[in-house]
Amino acid sequence: MIRAEGLWSLIEMRAEETPDSLFAVDEDDRTLRFADYRAAAERCAAGLAERGVGAGDCVSWQLPTNFESMILAGALSRLGAVQNPILPIYREREVGFAVAQTGARLLAVPPVFRGFDHAAMAHRIAAGCDGLEVLVVDGSLPEGDPSKLPPPPPGDDSVRWVFYTSGTTADPKGALHSDRTILAAFFAMSERLEMRPDDRVALVFPFTHIGGIGWLVIGLAAGCAHIAIPTFDPKRSIDVLARHGVTQATAGTIFHQAYLAAQRERGGAVLFPEVRAFPGGGAPKPPKLHYDIKKEMGGAGIVSGYGLTECPVLAMGSPHDPDEKLAHTEGRASPAGLEIRVVKLDGSVAVVGEEGEIHARGPQLCKGYLDEALNADAFDSDGFFRTGDLGTLDAEGYVVITGRLKDIIIRKGENISAKEVEDLLFQHPKVADVGVIGLPDPDTGERACAVVACRSAEEPLSFEEMGAFLKKQGLMLQKVPERLELVDELPRNPTGKILKHELRKRYDSTPS
């Protein structure tokens, strides 16, 4: 595995070591080699420089998962620019907020993606931002003469990335990262997954997510290739992954559920015969899903990790972990040298097995927020980041996530973990997907509501069945949901997290 001090030096080192090895292939079977990738990034960097983009300038970009995205990331790294990748689901409010707060001088967007006119949105935003230019990327990028480029930037700890975390009721928060923080996180992930040059990675989620940039780093470090899927469509994308011999079938619960459903629907031979693991993250996994995937599709099963935009790959599993650990934990602390401590609600440090908020400190931790006023609440006095996630550490150092501080339902003073109920309900044979939320109740404070997508519309789960099943599983009566709602599918963000604020809004009948 190659290690470097900066992203651009990593690109150069990989292109020198294995110039003719495959860097990426897309769903149209286009290919890009490592030497080609470096050359394309240099030409794009020269083209951007001709447009006035230089070291320290911020460029916001909102592009699909395709070759152009990966080339643009490399080009901006070559220039030493500050990159602000933006998720494709963000719209005018969020994109406008990001470009204004970062002071971006360029906003790169596709013309139309998934039916939405990004170009029109970008031009509306630019009309209200002095000095902001729009670059519409429609299959090609600006190009120029690389010989006219200034020297590459040094591999230091300067801020090179601004990633915004999703806002629900408040503005998004811009987390500041350097190349070093990003590389630390994903070199460690590559090490824990034992990535190899013959690996083929399913790049099926937004490349503009911090995990997308992370997989770019992993591919360069390990010398393996990506299978780039701009829009994941199980009917087409799974065939593309199979055709190109996917070995790392990323990227989280929603994708793993789709792979398993396709395997069951098609029957016969294993869909991904070369698969080594199903890396996951971004959202909790039902433990049963690991066992089903491993039994029916092979490999190590689900090898998940845990992290946040502010502190990516906080913990990561290993393909060699026992099934019990793979199913029920998110692995051990990142080998990058990350420290984890669990802090109880009273402020004391938890012992093994005790629940509390996960705090983390290490080389992949962000350098704070662009809005410095947010830092005081985000970090404790020792520099540990407060994740907002509840969990435990077992005797062997494995991390178990038990819920969110804000995802605890308090019914008559009794704390109900939404995740605990979800994991149990997922085991019901009629349940395909489930989210449990708390809704206001004038008598109990809150009541639990299970929102369920069933495997078959012809055989829906009944309220009585749900209650009987959970009681049989040993769940205390006070934790059994008092309401059941059936849906065709649960709303999720691009990384697979259930959008519970949408469900609460949909089902909260409390008068406003």
Side-chain angles (χ1 to χ4, degrees):
M1 188 174 85
I2 291 176
R3 293 180 182 268
E5 290 295 313
L7 178 56
W8 181 252
S9 58
L10 182 64
I11 293 171
E12 287 192 309
M13 292 169 67
R14 174 52 62 191
E16 289 296 324
E17 181 156 321
T18 56
D20 297 323
S21 294
L22 184 66
F23 166 72
V25 60
D26 69 9
E27 58 188 7
D28 296 320
D29 296 337
R30 294 187 304 160
T31 60
L32 201 60
R33 308 289 167 174
F34 284 107
D36 300 329
Y37 174 61
R38 176 182 61 179
E42 286 183 312
R43 292 194 302 271
C44 180
L48 292 171
E50 290 176 3
R51 297 184 65 141
V53 178
D57 290 331
C58 182
V59 174
S60 298
W61 51 282
Q62 186 184 43
L63 297 176
T65 303
N66 56 22
F67 286 3
E68 288 72 34
S69 282
M70 292 186 275
I71 292 168
L72 181 62
L76 293 171
S77 178
R78 172 63 180 84
L79 292 170
V82 176
Q83 306 197 45
N84 171 220
I86 299 175
L87 293 174
I89 61 167
Y90 279 13
R91 294 296 181 254
E92 197 159 338
R93 175 185 170 273
E94 295 89 356
V95 177
F97 179 86
V99 298
Q101 190 178 62
T102 60
R105 64 163 301 147
L106 185 67
L107 171 60
V109 296
V112 174
F113 178 60
R114 301 189 72 174
F116 181 77
D117 193 335
H118 288 265
M121 175 192 70
H123 285 296
R124 288 195 300 270
I125 292 171
C129 293
D130 289 340
L132 178 65
E133 296 182 27
V134 172
L135 172 64
V136 179
V137 179
D138 190 7
S140 63
L141 291 159
E143 292 193 350
D145 181 358
S147 68
K148 297 180 180 180
L149 286 170
D156 57 23
D157 204 30
S158 301
V159 171
R160 300 288 185 203
W161 303 87
V162 184
F163 292 95
Y164 278 87
T165 61
S166 300
T168 53
T169 59
D171 290 322
K173 297 179 288 186
L176 306 176
H177 277 281
S178 65
D179 276 0
R180 286 184 182 175
T181 59
I182 299 295
L183 295 177
F186 294 99
F187 284 163
M189 180 174 168
S190 180
E191 178 184 329
R192 187 62 60 81
L193 287 174
E194 300 182 0
M195 297 295 294
R196 309 186 313 219
D198 61 346
D199 272 319
R200 298 293 178 264
V201 177
L203 200 60
V204 293
F205 61 103
F207 183 68
T208 48
H209 186 275
I210 196 168
I213 305 302
W215 277 109
L216 171 65
V217 168
I218 290 173
L220 292 164
C224 62
H226 304 289
I227 307 169
I229 307 290
T231 302
F232 183 74
D233 174 6
K235 293 182 179 178
R236 180 186 183 192
S237 302
I238 289 175
D239 287 334
V240 174
L241 297 177
R243 184 167 72 248
H244 291 293
V246 65
T247 65
Q248 301 290 339
T250 69
T253 297
I254 190 171
F255 298 101
H256 296 153
Q257 288 173 329
Y259 301 151
L260 184 60
Q263 181 68 60
R264 288 171 170 171
E265 179 183 339
R266 302 182 193 190
V270 173
L271 288 178
F272 303 151
E274 307 298 323
V275 77
R276 299 205 298 123
F278 292 78
K285 66 177 182 298
K288 184 174 184 293
L289 187 59
H290 161 73
Y291 290 105
D292 289 347
I293 285 274
K294 184 172 183 179
K295 178 182 178 181
E296 300 178 45
M297 301 194 74
I302 296 177
V303 182
S304 61
Y306 160 64
L308 305 93
T309 299
E310 295 90 342
C311 191
V313 201
L314 194 158
M316 190 71 216
S318 161
H320 303 297
D321 285 339
D323 285 326
E324 181 184 357
K325 300 296 188 185
L326 291 173
H328 295 278
T329 81
E330 307 304 323
R332 290 168 293 144
S334 163
L338 185 111
E339 302 173 74
I340 297 175
R341 66 185 182 191
V342 180
V343 179
K344 295 192 292 186
L345 299 185
D346 64 6
S348 62
V349 177
V351 299
V352 169
E354 280 190 321
E355 185 185 63
E357 183 184 13
I358 304 290
H359 289 200
R361 181 176 67 184
Q364 66 262 63
L365 182 58
C366 73
K367 300 170 73 64
Y369 292 109
L370 188 56
D371 180 356
E372 295 181 356
L374 299 171
N375 291 335
D377 289 336
F379 299 87
D380 69 16
S381 58
D382 294 324
F384 280 79
F385 179 71
R386 300 181 174 106
T387 67
D389 290 313
L390 293 171
T392 64
L393 279 174
D394 70 15
E396 297 164 283
Y398 287 83
V399 177
V400 178
I401 302 301
T402 56
R404 288 283 295 170
L405 277 172
K406 297 180 180 179
D407 203 17
I408 294 296
I409 301 161
I410 303 176
R411 181 187 182 277
K412 289 187 175 180
E414 183 77 40
N415 288 351
I416 301 171
S417 165
K419 186 177 185 300
E420 178 186 11
V421 183
E422 289 165 357
D423 285 349
L424 290 174
L425 271 178
F426 193 86
Q427 298 178 37
H428 194 287
K430 289 186 178 181
V431 174
D433 204 2
V434 57
V436 174
I437 57 174
L439 296 175
D441 186 283
D443 298 320
T444 62
E446 283 186 298
R447 63 183 182 278
C449 172
V451 185
V452 171
C454 295
R455 294 189 183 277
S456 169
E458 287 71 37
E459 296 184 41
L461 179 72
S462 71
F463 181 81
E464 291 73 21
E465 283 179 301
M466 174 187 72
F469 179 80
L470 290 174
K471 292 172 189 175
K472 187 176 180 180
Q473 298 300 308
L475 190 70
M476 61 189 294
L477 179 63
Q478 290 87 343
K479 294 184 179 181
V480 175
E482 298 159 284
R483 180 173 170 182
L484 171 66
E485 296 288 346
L486 301 181
V487 295
D488 292 332
E489 63 179 4
L490 292 170
R492 291 180 179 267
N493 72 9
T495 62
K497 286 190 177 71
I498 297 173
L499 299 176
K500 292 194 173 182
H501 64 283
E502 289 191 8
L503 294 178
R504 293 187 189 99
K505 184 177 180 180
R506 186 186 305 177
Y507 296 115
D508 179 9
S509 57
T510 303
S512 56

mmCIF file of all heavy atoms in Angstrom, residues 4 19 42 46 66 104 110 119 177 223 225 346 359 490 507:
data_model
loop_
_atom_site.group_PDB
_atom_site.id
_atom_site.type_symbol
_atom_site.label_atom_id
_atom_site.label_comp_id
_atom_site.label_asym_id
_atom_site.label_seq_id
_atom_site.Cartn_x
_atom_site.Cartn_y
_atom_site.Cartn_z
ATOM 1 N N ALA A 4 1.151 8.619 1.399
ATOM 2 C CA ALA A 4 1.667 9.920 0.974
ATOM 3 C C ALA A 4 1.203 10.970 1.957
ATOM 4 O O ALA A 4 0.342 10.728 2.810
ATOM 5 C CB ALA A 4 1.187 10.243 -0.437
ATOM 6 N N PRO A 19 1.156 2.474 -13.642
ATOM 7 C CA PRO A 19 0.510 3.373 -14.607
ATOM 8 C C PRO A 19 -0.564 2.712 -15.455
ATOM 9 O O PRO A 19 -1.561 3.354 -15.809
ATOM 10 C CB PRO A 19 1.673 3.859 -15.473
ATOM 11 C CG PRO A 19 2.728 2.813 -15.324
ATOM 12 C CD PRO A 19 2.595 2.330 -13.917
ATOM 13 N N GLU A 42 -4.308 16.647 -14.494
ATOM 14 C CA GLU A 42 -3.384 17.746 -14.778
ATOM 15 C C GLU A 42 -3.937 18.665 -15.871
ATOM 16 O O GLU A 42 -3.838 19.896 -15.775
ATOM 17 C CB GLU A 42 -2.022 17.194 -15.194
ATOM 18 C CG GLU A 42 -1.223 16.625 -14.036
ATOM 19 C CD GLU A 42 0.153 16.152 -14.466
ATOM 20 O OE1 GLU A 42 0.252 15.429 -15.477
ATOM 21 O OE2 GLU A 42 1.127 16.513 -13.788
ATOM 22 N N ALA A 46 -4.976 22.614 -15.357
ATOM 23 C CA ALA A 46 -4.506 23.714 -16.211
ATOM 24 C C ALA A 46 -5.679 24.507 -16.759
ATOM 25 O O ALA A 46 -5.633 25.751 -16.846
ATOM 26 C CB ALA A 46 -3.649 23.162 -17.342
ATOM 27 N N ASN A 66 -19.034 9.848 -11.173
ATOM 28 C CA ASN A 66 -18.572 9.511 -12.522
ATOM 29 C C ASN A 66 -17.103 9.916 -12.686
ATOM 30 O O ASN A 66 -16.482 10.441 -11.762
ATOM 31 C CB ASN A 66 -19.450 10.175 -13.585
ATOM 32 C CG ASN A 66 -19.545 11.685 -13.433
ATOM 33 O OD1 ASN A 66 -18.678 12.325 -12.827
ATOM 34 N ND2 ASN A 66 -20.599 12.271 -13.979
ATOM 35 N N ALA A 104 -16.990 30.531 -2.086
ATOM 36 C CA ALA A 104 -16.562 29.826 -3.291
ATOM 37 C C ALA A 104 -16.501 30.770 -4.491
ATOM 38 O O ALA A 104 -17.360 31.632 -4.659
ATOM 39 C CB ALA A 104 -17.519 28.672 -3.585
ATOM 40 N N PRO A 110 -23.782 19.450 -12.757
ATOM 41 C CA PRO A 110 -24.213 18.839 -14.009
ATOM 42 C C PRO A 110 -25.340 19.684 -14.602
ATOM 43 O O PRO A 110 -25.934 20.510 -13.892
ATOM 44 C CB PRO A 110 -24.723 17.472 -13.569
ATOM 45 C CG PRO A 110 -25.237 17.707 -12.178
ATOM 46 C CD PRO A 110 -24.339 18.759 -11.580
ATOM 47 N N ALA A 119 -28.131 23.134 -13.346
ATOM 48 C CA ALA A 119 -27.550 24.312 -13.990
ATOM 49 C C ALA A 119 -28.393 25.558 -13.718
ATOM 50 O O ALA A 119 -27.865 26.628 -13.396
ATOM 51 C CB ALA A 119 -27.407 24.069 -15.486
ATOM 52 N N HIS A 177 -11.506 19.851 6.813
ATOM 53 C CA HIS A 177 -10.533 18.758 6.780
ATOM 54 C C HIS A 177 -9.316 19.164 5.962
ATOM 55 O O HIS A 177 -9.412 19.965 5.028
ATOM 56 C CB HIS A 177 -11.143 17.497 6.158
ATOM 57 C CG HIS A 177 -11.946 16.674 7.110
ATOM 58 N ND1 HIS A 177 -11.370 15.814 8.018
ATOM 59 C CD2 HIS A 177 -13.295 16.574 7.282
ATOM 60 C CE1 HIS A 177 -12.323 15.219 8.720
ATOM 61 N NE2 HIS A 177 -13.497 15.657 8.300
ATOM 62 N N GLY A 223 -4.098 0.541 -5.039
ATOM 63 C CA GLY A 223 -3.935 0.239 -6.455
ATOM 64 C C GLY A 223 -5.077 -0.562 -7.034
ATOM 65 O O GLY A 223 -4.903 -1.269 -8.036
ATOM 66 N N ALA A 225 -9.404 -0.862 -8.277
ATOM 67 C CA ALA A 225 -10.256 -0.121 -9.206
ATOM 68 C C ALA A 225 -11.663 0.081 -8.655
ATOM 69 O O ALA A 225 -12.161 -0.711 -7.850
ATOM 70 C CB ALA A 225 -10.325 -0.840 -10.544
ATOM 71 N N ASP A 346 -24.033 11.575 32.937
ATOM 72 C CA ASP A 346 -23.654 12.388 34.095
ATOM 73 C C ASP A 346 -22.240 12.954 33.962
ATOM 74 O O ASP A 346 -21.737 13.617 34.874
ATOM 75 C CB ASP A 346 -23.778 11.581 35.393
ATOM 76 C CG ASP A 346 -22.824 10.383 35.455
ATOM 77 O OD1 ASP A 346 -21.974 10.236 34.538
ATOM 78 O OD2 ASP A 346 -22.938 9.586 36.401
ATOM 79 N N HIS A 359 -17.225 9.548 22.366
ATOM 80 C CA HIS A 359 -16.333 10.682 22.138
ATOM 81 C C HIS A 359 -15.082 10.148 21.445
ATOM 82 O O HIS A 359 -14.633 9.038 21.736
ATOM 83 C CB HIS A 359 -15.942 11.354 23.454
ATOM 84 C CG HIS A 359 -17.045 12.116 24.112
ATOM 85 N ND1 HIS A 359 -16.816 13.107 25.050
ATOM 86 C CD2 HIS A 359 -18.394 12.056 23.973
ATOM 87 C CE1 HIS A 359 -17.966 13.607 25.467
ATOM 88 N NE2 HIS A 359 -18.947 12.982 24.829
ATOM 89 N N LEU A 490 -39.117 3.298 3.090
ATOM 90 C CA LEU A 490 -38.742 4.329 4.062
ATOM 91 C C LEU A 490 -37.876 5.386 3.389
ATOM 92 O O LEU A 490 -37.025 5.056 2.559
ATOM 93 C CB LEU A 490 -37.962 3.704 5.222
ATOM 94 C CG LEU A 490 -38.760 2.777 6.125
ATOM 95 C CD1 LEU A 490 -37.833 2.029 7.070
ATOM 96 C CD2 LEU A 490 -39.772 3.553 6.936
ATOM 97 N N TYR A 507 -46.245 11.743 10.564
ATOM 98 C CA TYR A 507 -47.166 11.032 11.455
ATOM 99 C C TYR A 507 -47.495 11.780 12.748
ATOM 100 O O TYR A 507 -48.289 11.289 13.549
ATOM 101 C CB TYR A 507 -46.599 9.641 11.783
ATOM 102 C CG TYR A 507 -46.490 8.773 10.553
ATOM 103 C CD1 TYR A 507 -45.235 8.371 10.090
ATOM 104 C CD2 TYR A 507 -47.628 8.391 9.845
ATOM 105 C CE1 TYR A 507 -45.122 7.583 8.948
ATOM 106 C CE2 TYR A 507 -47.516 7.613 8.704
ATOM 107 C CZ TYR A 507 -46.270 7.210 8.256
ATOM 108 O OH TYR A 507 -46.172 6.446 7.122
#
